[in-house]
Amino acid sequence: MNFLETFQMAVQNIFSSKMRSFLTMLGIIIGIASVMVIIGLGNGMQTYMTEQFQAIGANTLEVSIMGRGSSRNVDEEDMYRIVSDHPEDLALISPTVSVRSTVKIGTETLSFTSATGVGEDYFAIKQYSIAQGRGLQYIDMDKRLHVCVVGLYIANEYYNGDAVGQSIRIGGTKYEIVGVMAQEGDTLEEGGTDDVIFLPYTTAARRSGTEVTSYTITVVDENRATECRELVEDELTEIFGSDSAFTVISMTEILNMMTEMLNVMITILAAIAAISLVVGGIGIMNIMLVSVTERTREIGIRKALGAKERS
């Protein structure tokens, strides 16, 4: 019996037991597909997380100051000094102030638009670009000017793409639009990435009547994010005399931690899928054993008629 005859006999046996063959293939397909899907989903989630953190700023430190009552606090000059004293580790800094005021254009209220007070380096930190006009400058902070930069959604939706030089009201105060951001989101929609307003943090702090307590700092080298975080913590601890008056969060460390957690989850799911694959393989071996056992009589007859062992 040559190879062609053996192959033809195998095909005939497959078609003679269609249900058994189908179940065998189904076990193989499900086992392999489950492993591929789990690994693919894990890699996709990891890529998505990395892209999201890159958009937020993976090389940034988020500093939140709680203070120690009236005994000691940190102002913007202190934070800028910390950055300027360590140019080999820290690059840019921007205070951030949330503005909780009604935004109006004419008689229309923008309910989902977010307004934030930021520094002149905020756009460089977030890698935002200006499509029209200019960004916020140091003089805007120093003079507490009533100017702002708006997202492309606002410019297109309410100003027909010509927003520079127009005015917008935030909390009843008129602000001049000096710049329009380039599109940052995939789509221009209400409440989205491009439905935003940025104004000088000094102006925002005066309007809110609060001190600046949040800062975004970029590090020179992402691989040294932990050392940079510890550096900022040491500086603030020296000022406050305590490490409970502030928090410093490294986006790089959070990304690495979430990546590690995701890898552990992927490994566990892949192990579960591998167990399913092994169980499916055992089922296939069982079916093959049954198939051979069923043919014991046939094999004996063939050998009695002179069939060789290799056949």
Side-chain angles (χ1 to χ4, degrees):
M1 182 181 293
N2 56 29
F3 176 78
L4 180 60
E5 291 176 337
T6 303
F7 180 76
Q8 289 175 344
M9 183 178 296
V11 172
Q12 289 174 0
N13 287 331
I14 290 174
F15 282 99
S16 63
S17 303
K18 295 184 177 61
M19 180 57 66
R20 185 167 62 189
S21 301
F22 170 74
L23 293 176
T24 301
M25 289 188 298
L26 185 62
I28 296 173
I29 292 171
I30 292 176
I32 295 177
S34 61
V35 175
M36 293 176 61
V37 168
I38 288 173
I39 294 176
L41 287 175
N43 292 335
M45 288 176 61
Q46 187 171 3
T47 301
Y48 174 77
M49 284 172 48
T50 303
E51 291 176 351
Q52 292 300 312
F53 272 88
Q54 290 291 344
I56 297 173
N59 64 330
T60 60
L61 303 175
E62 298 295 332
V63 182
S64 179
I65 307 295
M66 286 81 75
R68 297 186 61 188
S70 59
S71 59
R72 186 69 177 95
N73 210 333
V74 169
D75 57 23
E76 303 91 286
E77 293 182 2
D78 294 323
M79 294 301 299
Y80 274 95
R81 177 189 56 77
I82 292 174
V83 174
S84 62
D85 286 349
H86 302 279
E88 69 282 359
D89 295 311
L90 307 176
L92 302 173
I93 179 173
S94 172
T96 56
V97 179
S98 296
V99 179
R100 303 183 183 279
S101 299
T102 303
V103 178
K104 282 191 173 184
I105 299 177
T107 58
E108 189 166 356
T109 301
L110 282 63
S111 303
F112 298 97
T113 302
S114 63
T116 308
V118 298
E120 65 271 20
D121 291 325
Y122 185 81
F123 287 81
I125 292 173
K126 295 297 184 180
Q127 298 181 355
Y128 293 159
S129 56
I130 301 297
Q132 302 173 24
R134 65 172 178 86
L136 298 176
Q137 301 174 351
Y138 173 77
I139 191 172
D140 300 327
M141 317 296 156
D142 187 47
K143 301 295 185 181
R144 294 186 174 88
L145 299 181
H146 289 179
V147 295
C148 66
V149 175
V150 300
L152 189 60
Y153 170 80
I154 296 176
N156 290 349
E157 184 72 16
Y158 299 98
Y159 299 100
N160 295 321
D162 185 22
V164 176
Q166 303 288 345
S167 63
I168 188 170
R169 288 189 174 274
I170 305 175
T173 302
K174 182 184 294 185
Y175 287 79
E176 180 186 356
I177 299 175
V178 297
V180 177
M181 292 171 50
Q183 183 171 344
E184 295 296 332
D186 296 331
T187 58
L188 297 177
E189 58 184 357
E190 186 178 24
T193 309
D194 297 282
D195 188 10
V196 293
I197 301 173
F198 295 107
L199 56 148
Y201 75 89
T202 51
T203 306
R206 171 177 284 185
R207 160 160 292 281
S208 302
T210 59
E211 296 180 347
V212 179
T213 57
S214 297
Y215 299 86
T216 301
I217 302 175
T218 59
V219 300
V220 175
D221 185 2
E222 288 186 24
N223 296 324
R224 299 189 68 252
T226 301
E227 291 83 352
C228 294
R229 175 182 57 78
E230 293 174 350
L231 170 65
V232 175
E233 288 177 342
D234 291 341
E235 290 282 351
L236 292 175
T237 300
E238 184 176 348
I239 294 174
F240 287 109
S242 170
D243 60 359
S244 61
F246 59 87
T247 57
V248 182
I249 300 175
S250 169
M251 293 294 106
T252 301
E253 290 181 335
I254 292 179
L255 176 60
N256 293 336
M257 182 175 62
M258 294 190 68
T259 300
E260 291 177 1
M261 293 173 59
L262 183 61
N263 288 337
V264 171
M265 183 180 70
I266 293 173
T267 302
I268 294 173
L269 293 177
I272 295 173
I275 292 173
S276 302
L277 192 59
V278 170
V279 172
I282 294 174
I284 294 171
M285 288 188 293
N286 184 50
I287 292 174
M288 294 177 65
L289 179 61
V290 171
S291 299
V292 173
T293 303
E294 288 177 347
R295 296 185 59 204
T296 300
R297 186 187 301 274
E298 176 189 345
I299 293 172
I301 294 173
R302 288 178 181 273
K303 293 182 70 175
L305 293 176
K308 295 181 179 180
E309 190 68 29
R310 64 181 182 181
S311 300

